[in-house]
Amino acid sequence: EAERALLAPREWPPHAWHLVPTIEAYKRAIGATDGLAALDSGRGCAYDCSFCSIGRYWGRRTRALDATRLADEIDELFAQPGVKAAYLAHDLFGTDRAQALALCAELERRAQLGERGARPFEIRARADALDDELIAALARAGCYRVLVGIESGDPALRNAHGKQLDPACDVRALVARLDRAGITPILSLLLGLPGEDEAALECTLSLALDAALLAGVNLSLHLPNPQPGCRLGDEHGARARIVEGIAPDMALGTGTTRPERELIAAHPDLFGTFHLLARDAEEERGLRRLARMRDELAPLLQRLPRTFALVARRLDLGVAQLFDRWQAGGRSFEALARAQRDPLIDDVLAWETALLRAGERPQLLELGCDLAALRAALADPRADPQGARVPTPRTYAVTRGRRGPRTVRLSDDLARVLRSGDPPPGAARAALQRAGLLPALPP
C-alpha cells in the first residue's frame, strides 16, 4: 500500500476542546498543581539519533505550525481552566528560525496589546539553534524554561549516536546565556549509551556539575531504552531486558504491581519501553550504578553544586568517583562534606542550605569567604578555592527574589539593623529596599 501523504500544518484540524474534560479536571485527577499543559506545536524530526524513534517514524521530516496559528492555539489553551503555562511539545523549536522568531514576535505583540500579559511557556530545542537573538526573543515572549537535549558530554560519543551537534556549540556558555536572559535551562543527558567508557561518563557528569555551578539549571539524567523503531533497538535489542528495581524513564510510575509485571512478561514485544541494556550480571551492576546517579546525583548537584565541587577538589576526585565514595559511605552527602573539617566547605554548605530554605524573611549568614571570589574560583579548574577565604567574616542575607533564591552582601551597619528587629531608619530602609530585603513601604 502506498504511503499516505502527510497533512500540511495548515490542514491540521482545530482542537476539539468541547469533547474532553478541562485541563483542570485532568490535573485534579492526578493530584498535579503545576498548571502546565502540553500543546502540539510541530511534528517530526530531521535527525536520526540512535536512542529515539521520532526521526524514523516521520521519515526524517519536520513540520511546524504557522506562527499566527500557533499563537491562536496558545490563546485557546490558556482559555482552559487550570492552565497556567504551555509546553510547546516539538523537539526542534528554533531549527525553523523564521517560524520561531515570528512566533516570539506575535506572542510579544499580543501581550503588549492586551491586558493578559505574557503567556508563560516552555520549549524543547537543539542547543545549536539557540543563538543570542532567539534567546532574547524567547525571553520577551514569555519563555521561562528550555529543555536542551545534549545526551553526552563526550562529543565523539554523542555524534556516534547521531546527535550531530554543531562542534562550535558551547553548552556551558549556552547555559550561562539562558540564565542571563531569565530562562531556566534543562539539560537532558543519557547515562550508559553503548560505547560509553568511564572517561566519557565523567565528561557527561562534569558537564552536569559545571552547568549547576553556572546557573539554576534543571538536570534530567536518563538511561537509554532500546525500544523498537530506533537504532538502539535494532542493534542492541537482543541484550535488553527488564531489570527488577530499575524503572525505565519511559515507564516511571508503572509496571510495579504483580499483574502489570505479568502482563509485561507475557508480551515483551508490546512493552519495549520497559527494557534496559543489561545482558548479564556485570552489565546489570553497572546499570544499577547509573540508575542511582540518575535518581540521586542529579538532585544533589541541583541542591549543593558548590559544596559538591569543593569536596571533589579537596579529595581530588572526579564527579563519578565522589559519587561512588558517597554511596559507599552509607550516610548523607552533608555528613560527608562536614567530615572534611574544612571551614570553607562548612561555610558553603551553610550558604547552600540557606538558599534551599529561602523565604521572604532574610536569613543572615556570617561567612568567612568572599562568595564572588568563590564563584570565580569554581569556574576555573586551575584556581584554588581556598583563595576565597577572608580574615574577617562577612555578612550575607539570603532571601527569595522574583527568580528564586538570591544572596546579598550586607555592610556592617545594615546587618546590625536587620539583626535588631527594629524598624530601620530612613537611609537604612531605603538601602534595604534597593537590595530587595524589605518590601517597598510608603514614605
Side-chain angles (χ1 to χ4, degrees), residues 188-268:
S188 180
L189 300 163
L190 281 163
L191 308 180
L193 283 169
E196 180 183 77
D197 57 14
E198 197 66 17
L201 173 63
E202 184 62 26
C203 286
T204 298
L205 299 180
S206 294
L207 174 61
L209 174 57
D210 289 349
L213 291 171
L214 284 167
V217 70
N218 296 160
L219 298 174
S220 186
L221 305 185
H222 304 278
L223 304 177
N225 172 230
Q227 56 189 293
C230 67
R231 180 152 54 98
L232 277 191
D234 294 344
E235 298 178 357
H236 300 277
R239 60 181 265 222
R241 62 187 177 90
I242 295 171
V243 180
E244 191 69 28
I246 302 181
D249 302 320
M250 301 297 289
L252 287 174
T254 60
T256 58
T257 66
R258 181 175 178 179
E260 286 175 327
R261 290 198 300 270
E262 290 176 350
L263 180 64
I264 293 166
H267 302 281

Side-chain angles (χ1 to χ4, degrees), residues 305-315 322 342 344-346 348-349 374 378 385-386:
R306 303 167 192 88
T307 304
F308 190 98
L310 285 174
V311 174
R313 290 205 189 185
R314 179 172 180 82
L315 297 176
L322 180 52
D342 183 324
L344 180 60
I345 292 176
D346 291 341
V348 172
L349 177 58
L374 174 71
L378 290 177
Q386 295 295 331

Side-chain angles (χ1 to χ4, degrees), residues 110-369:
R110 295 186 184 197
Q112 292 172 346
L113 288 177
E115 298 180 356
R116 60 171 175 76
R119 301 291 204 200
F121 67 96
E122 58 182 83
I123 62 170
R124 299 196 301 232
R126 282 180 61 89
D128 45 14
L130 294 169
D131 60 19
D132 288 341
E133 181 185 14
L134 182 54
I135 289 173
L138 285 165
R140 293 193 303 269
C143 180
Y144 66 94
R145 189 160 57 186
V146 175
L147 185 149
V148 185
I150 304 301
E151 324 315 346
S152 173
D154 183 325
L157 179 67
R158 184 168 61 214
N159 290 331
H161 284 272
K163 187 67 182 180
Q164 298 182 35
L165 197 63
D166 185 344
C169 180
D170 185 333
V171 177
R172 291 167 175 82
L174 173 62
V175 167
R177 288 189 287 116
L178 287 168
D179 182 65
R180 286 195 298 270
I183 299 174
T184 299
I186 308 174
L187 291 193
S188 180
L189 300 163
L190 281 163
L191 308 180
L193 283 169
E196 180 183 77
D197 57 14
E198 197 66 17
L201 173 63
E202 184 62 26
C203 286
T204 298
L205 299 180
S206 294
L207 174 61
L209 174 57
D210 289 349
L213 291 171
L214 284 167
V217 70
N218 296 160
L219 298 174
S220 186
L221 305 185
H222 304 278
L223 304 177
N225 172 230
Q227 56 189 293
C230 67
R231 180 152 54 98
L232 277 191
D234 294 344
E235 298 178 357
H236 300 277
R239 60 181 265 222
R241 62 187 177 90
I242 295 171
V243 180
E244 191 69 28
I246 302 181
D249 302 320
M250 301 297 289
L252 287 174
T254 60
T256 58
T257 66
R258 181 175 178 179
E260 286 175 327
R261 290 198 300 270
E262 290 176 350
L263 180 64
I264 293 166
H267 302 281
D269 54 330
L270 298 181
F271 294 97
T273 52
F274 288 84
H275 291 70
L276 294 165
L277 294 171
R279 176 175 43 201
D280 51 32
E282 181 180 356
E283 285 192 348
E284 182 178 322
R285 282 193 296 273
L287 186 66
R288 291 191 182 280
R289 178 192 181 215
L290 297 178
R292 291 194 300 273
M293 289 179 177
R294 176 194 66 182
D295 298 337
E296 300 179 41
L297 180 59
L300 175 61
L301 295 184
Q302 291 179 190
R303 289 190 302 112
L304 304 173
R306 303 167 192 88
T307 304
F308 190 98
L310 285 174
V311 174
R313 290 205 189 185
R314 179 172 180 82
L315 297 176
D316 193 24
L317 297 176
V319 179
Q321 292 173 321
L322 180 52
F323 174 81
D324 292 340
R325 175 80 64 91
W326 167 41
Q327 293 287 298
R331 53 183 173 173
S332 70
F333 185 80
E334 289 85 341
L336 174 62
R338 293 189 186 99
Q340 306 310 309
R341 302 189 182 281
D342 183 324
L344 180 60
I345 292 176
D346 291 341
D347 276 353
V348 172
L349 177 58
W351 172 43
E352 292 194 309
T353 301
L355 290 172
L356 295 172
R357 298 172 179 170
E360 297 298 324
R361 186 178 182 84
Q363 303 174 67
L364 299 187
L365 300 174
E366 295 287 337
L367 303 178
C369 62

Side-chain angles (χ1 to χ4, degrees), residues 10 109 134 291 331 388-389 437:
R10 66 178 179 276
R109 184 187 70 82
L134 182 54
R331 53 183 173 173
R389 296 289 307 278
L437 299 177

Side-chain angles (χ1 to χ4, degrees), residues 34-117:
D34 56 13
L36 181 64
L39 189 65
D40 189 4
S41 56
R43 295 175 186 170
C45 179
Y47 296 88
D48 188 24
C49 295
S50 71
F51 43 83
C52 180
S53 60
I54 293 175
R56 293 186 177 188
Y57 181 86
W58 292 106
R60 303 283 297 276
R61 291 168 289 184
T62 182
R63 299 164 293 156
L65 276 177
D66 169 80
T68 302
R69 164 78 181 271
L70 182 51
D72 289 342
E73 292 196 358
I74 291 172
D75 282 344
E76 292 172 5
L77 181 68
F78 273 87
Q80 292 290 310
V83 175
K84 300 175 185 177
Y87 178 25
L88 306 187
H90 185 213
D91 292 292
L92 297 181
F93 188 97
T95 53
D96 184 340
R97 183 176 176 75
Q99 184 266 357
L101 289 172
L103 174 65
C104 291
E106 180 63 16
L107 293 176
E108 183 181 5
R109 184 187 70 82
R110 295 186 184 197
Q112 292 172 346
L113 288 177
E115 298 180 356
R116 60 171 175 76

Side-chain angles (χ1 to χ4, degrees), residues 411-435:
S411 67
D412 292 341
D413 290 342
L414 291 180
R416 280 194 295 271
V417 168
L418 282 180
R419 285 196 191 92
S420 72
D422 297 328
R429 182 178 69 174
L432 290 169
Q433 286 175 350
R434 286 194 299 272

